Amino acid sequence: QVQVAESGGGSVQAGGSLTLSCATSERPLSSFAVGWFRQAPGKEREFVAATSWSGLSSYYADSVKGRFTVSRDNAKNTVLLQMNSLKPEDTAVYYCAASDDPTAGLYEYEYWGQGTQVIVSS
């Protein structure tokens, strides 16, 4: 079973920045499409961002466009989510998800991490 793990969560003041990292236990992430999701307390999980296998294409939810950037670091076998200009409403548990199904859609992932907490204070 493929294992996915996120790291880099923490607390930050509004307007600050934080970078999350995603990695897999065995196979390289270059073999996967990778997406980021988040779930705030009392709310349903929502899509945040995603990167194609090549890393040349990225997709973002309207709420984070212009502030978040997803990228690949193949040398370190990681996918990063750089979060800038953070707002209190960005507070949530962030999840990394991966798919090795070439037919899967943008929002379809088979493997999920346990999540990492991000808290943005006003």
Side-chain angles (χ1 to χ4, degrees), residues 31-33 53 98-105 108 110-111:
S31 300
F32 300 86
W53 277 272
S99 174
D100 58 3
D101 182 354
T103 67
E108 299 173 343
E110 303 92 70
Y111 315 106

Side-chain angles (χ1 to χ4, degrees), residues 36-40 43-49 61 63-64 89-95 107 112:
W36 288 92
F37 294 78
R38 67 186 182 187
Q39 186 169 25
K43 298 183 179 180
E44 295 184 352
R45 186 168 57 196
E46 64 176 346
F47 172 79
V48 175
S63 60
V64 305
E89 50 263 43
D90 293 320
T91 295
V93 175
Y94 284 71
Y95 298 88
Y107 309 108
W112 292 78

Side-chain angles (χ1 to χ4, degrees), residues 15-43:
S17 299
L18 204 61
T19 299
L20 306 182
S21 179
C22 177
T24 55
S25 59
E26 296 182 353
R27 282 188 283 164
L29 275 175
S30 59
S31 300
F32 300 86
V34 176
W36 288 92
F37 294 78
R38 67 186 182 187
Q39 186 169 25
K43 298 183 179 180

Side-chain angles (χ1 to χ4, degrees), residues 107-122:
Y107 309 108
E108 299 173 343
Y109 302 91
E110 303 92 70
Y111 315 106
W112 292 78
Q114 295 298 311
T116 185
Q117 178 72 250
V118 172
I119 299 175
V120 184
S121 58
S122 60

